[in-house]
Amino acid sequence: VVMPIIRWNESFLIGITEFDQHHEHLVALLNQAYDKLITDEPMENTDILLSELRAYAGYHFGAEEQWMIEQEFPGIEEHFKQHSSFCREMDKFQKDLAGGKALVGIGVLSFLVEWLTNHILKVDTLYRDFYEGKKSR
């Protein structure tokens, strides 16, 4: 068994169950892609996983954004920009893969790990803190 590229731990919990479950699933998908890359599985298997990761990220972002609208989160615009930027990067990467211009490599997975970790630990905590403050009023 390959070591995970990113280990799920309590520091990733933001206290909103639905989003914590989404984040944990995204981490699991990243680890599956890493496993396939390290064990030299055929490239198309890794491509399929990355497509699933992109689709699930889109689903998660949609749910998060809807929640932010309902909660009237003031940092919504910047948060949406981060989501859009990630989706553009993933779409460009998938296009390059399909066109044979790129392979799934550790660099791509490192980008995904870094982005996801930073997003959960720094960006998502902003709406968590807002929500906690709102609940305590």
Side-chain angles (χ1 to χ4, degrees), residues 8-25:
W8 178 261
N9 65 67
E10 286 189 7
S11 71
F12 288 117
L13 295 174
I14 57 168
I16 298 167
T17 305
E18 177 186 6
F19 301 146
D20 287 335
Q21 290 168 344
H22 290 182
H23 292 154
E24 191 168 6
H25 186 67

Side-chain angles (χ1 to χ4, degrees), residues 8-135:
W8 178 261
N9 65 67
E10 286 189 7
S11 71
F12 288 117
L13 295 174
I14 57 168
I16 298 167
T17 305
E18 177 186 6
F19 301 146
D20 287 335
Q21 290 168 344
H22 290 182
H23 292 154
E24 191 168 6
H25 186 67
L26 287 165
V27 166
L29 288 172
L30 261 177
N31 283 325
Q32 286 172 35
Y34 179 66
D35 271 357
K36 290 188 181 311
L37 181 70
I38 295 302
T39 57
D40 285 333
E41 279 216 23
M43 194 55 70
E44 60 271 10
N45 292 347
T46 311
D47 296 354
I48 289 166
L49 255 173
L50 285 177
S51 292
E52 186 181 342
L53 179 71
R54 166 62 180 92
Y56 194 82
Y59 160 75
H60 165 64
F61 293 161
E64 238 181 28
E65 290 169 6
Q66 185 58 46
W67 180 89
M68 287 180 205
I69 291 167
E70 289 165 7
Q71 297 297 323
E72 299 177 346
F73 173 58
I76 201 165
E77 199 174 301
E78 182 55 37
H79 207 103
F80 281 22
K81 282 182 193 169
Q82 290 243 346
H83 288 172
S84 294
S85 172
F86 176 83
C87 292
R88 276 194 310 277
E89 279 293 314
M90 282 296 288
D91 292 346
K92 180 186 176 306
F93 176 67
Q94 286 184 288
K95 189 177 171 194
D96 288 349
L97 273 177
K101 291 184 194 167
L103 294 172
V104 177
I106 201 70
V108 172
L109 293 178
S110 294
F111 160 77
L112 293 171
V113 167
E114 195 173 310
W115 191 92
L116 187 66
T117 303
N118 180 64
H119 191 74
I120 294 171
L121 297 178
K122 293 190 177 126
V123 181
D124 285 350
T125 55
L126 297 173
Y127 74 68
R128 178 205 56 209
D129 295 346
F130 165 76
Y131 185 62
E132 291 297 320
K134 200 172 160 181
K135 281 195 320 193

